[in-house]
Amino acid sequence: MKRNTAIFLVLCLIWGMTWIGIKAGVATVPPLMFAGTRFAVAGLLILVAARLRGAALPRVATRNWPRLFFVTLFMIPLCYGPLFWGMRYVDSGTAAVLELSLTPVALLAFALLLGDERYDSQRLFAILLGVVGLGILFGPEAFAGWTHSDEQGRTTQLFAMTAVASAAVIYAWGSVLARPLLEVYSSDFIAGFTTLFGGAFLILVSLVVEPGAATALTGDWGWQAWVGWLFLVLFGSFIGYTLFMRLLHDIGSSRAGAFAFVSPVIAVLLGIVTYGEEVSLIDVTGMAVMLSAAFLALRERKQDQRTSLPAHPLVPAPRAY
């Protein structure tokens, strides 16, 4: 568990810093193109790195292709497509409340519905506590963004908020669907495959729907966008996404999803250091509640043993490659 806790903290630190790279990139690059190239290159790097370590690319069983296809579709294009579109019309506070609070809730809900995890009152309380903390931290900003919009702006915001919320639910669904595959194939392969082909799909969609997407492929982005892109590729996806896949396998969907209560705290602290942003007593209270929730979500009871994955009818017995 100590190893998984260390991985969890590294993941939270990395994903708490990704907002800097995203902010720098989408300022000059079409969002879907920026995200697609990030994921496609990161996926290729993950697979190449695994091959250099001596891991042969596995032969995916025919029965597992449908699940792998849907995991790829859910966790990259259908998540980041609506998310990036929605964030064009929704302020960051509203997006944070919707996406970050729904992610762990949806992870637990799908894990219970699909029989991936057993009901745990402590974990459910931790998730609800984390949602309360998110509301305290980002609620005032979200409320201000909503009340300052006109009627037409609110309609657009409503659709955008729905898109952001759907991204969290779809990502959670994909994460739970991915867990049985992680008993058959390595986390490096699943992370590499989903990001490579999911990113390629986003690039194709960008070329069809985003103005300036084809021009963006020339790479004339400016150094700030390139620095942000490199950080997202190397840390946000190459390292972060692989670590998340390992946590899905080792500690389960709902525990891994507790990153949503720690990463925002890191992002706020980085805002203080980077931009000199002020923090109120309400902000400190919200962050304290969220960190407490993450602690409860990760803590294992003494009588609990490591939860093993249930046998799944769609996958063969685990094997190394």
Side-chain angles (χ1 to χ4, degrees), residues 15-315:
W15 280 0
M17 296 171 66
T18 53
W19 68 275
I20 300 175
I22 295 173
K23 187 176 181 179
V26 298
T28 57
V29 185
L32 296 185
M33 178 60 69
F34 188 71
T37 53
R38 160 201 173 179
F39 285 116
V41 172
L44 184 61
L45 288 176
I46 293 170
L47 294 176
V48 169
R51 189 70 185 92
L52 291 176
R53 289 196 299 266
L57 294 179
R59 180 178 179 181
V60 179
T62 303
R63 71 184 73 182
N64 290 332
W65 275 113
R67 179 175 288 261
L68 185 57
F69 170 80
F70 282 109
V71 168
T72 301
L73 191 65
F74 286 3
M75 297 194 71
I76 305 297
L78 290 183
C79 170
Y80 288 93
L83 179 62
F84 274 71
W85 178 84
M87 290 186 69
R88 294 175 62 187
Y89 305 100
V90 176
D91 61 90
S92 59
T94 303
V97 171
L98 288 171
E99 210 270 336
L100 292 173
S101 62
L102 280 177
T103 294
V105 173
L107 279 169
L108 179 60
F110 280 118
L112 293 174
L113 287 173
L114 298 177
D116 188 61
E117 295 186 26
R118 296 184 179 88
Y119 174 78
D120 187 331
S121 58
Q122 174 182 299
R123 206 170 308 167
L124 178 61
F125 174 75
I127 290 174
L128 295 178
L129 184 65
V131 172
V132 171
L134 282 165
I136 295 173
L137 183 61
F138 294 107
E141 182 183 347
F143 180 75
W146 176 265
T147 55
H148 290 168
S149 301
D150 56 23
E151 197 64 34
Q152 183 177 0
R154 290 183 183 179
T155 302
T156 303
Q157 276 190 327
L158 184 61
F159 281 107
M161 290 165 64
T162 302
V164 172
S166 71
V169 175
I170 290 170
Y171 187 84
W173 191 358
S175 297
V176 175
L177 287 176
R179 202 176 176 212
L181 292 175
L182 292 167
E183 281 293 281
V184 186
Y185 311 106
S186 77
S187 58
D188 288 338
F189 171 72
I190 298 299
F193 184 96
T194 54
T195 50
L196 173 58
F197 290 98
F201 185 82
L202 275 177
I203 293 173
L204 292 176
V205 173
S206 174
L207 290 171
V208 173
V209 304
E210 285 189 317
T215 304
L217 286 175
T218 62
D220 187 18
W221 297 356
W223 70 267
Q224 296 96 332
W226 273 112
V227 170
W229 184 86
L230 287 172
F231 177 82
L232 291 171
V233 168
L234 297 176
F235 291 93
S237 297
F238 180 64
I239 297 175
Y241 193 68
T242 304
L243 293 180
F244 181 67
M245 285 294 176
R246 291 180 182 177
L247 288 175
L248 279 180
H249 174 272
D250 292 344
I251 65 177
S253 307
S254 59
R255 281 197 176 102
F259 76 85
F261 302 141
V262 181
S263 293
V265 176
I266 295 173
V268 171
L269 295 178
L270 285 173
I272 298 171
V273 175
T274 306
Y275 296 106
E277 297 176 354
E278 296 182 357
V279 177
S280 66
L281 179 60
I282 293 179
D283 295 330
V284 174
T285 302
M287 289 188 288
V289 172
M290 289 160 62
L291 291 176
S292 300
F295 171 78
L296 288 175
L298 291 172
R299 189 180 66 175
E300 288 192 59
R301 300 174 184 176
K302 291 183 178 180
Q303 67 267 29
D304 289 345
Q305 297 178 347
R306 180 182 178 277
T307 302
S308 58
L309 291 177
H312 200 285
L314 297 182
V315 297

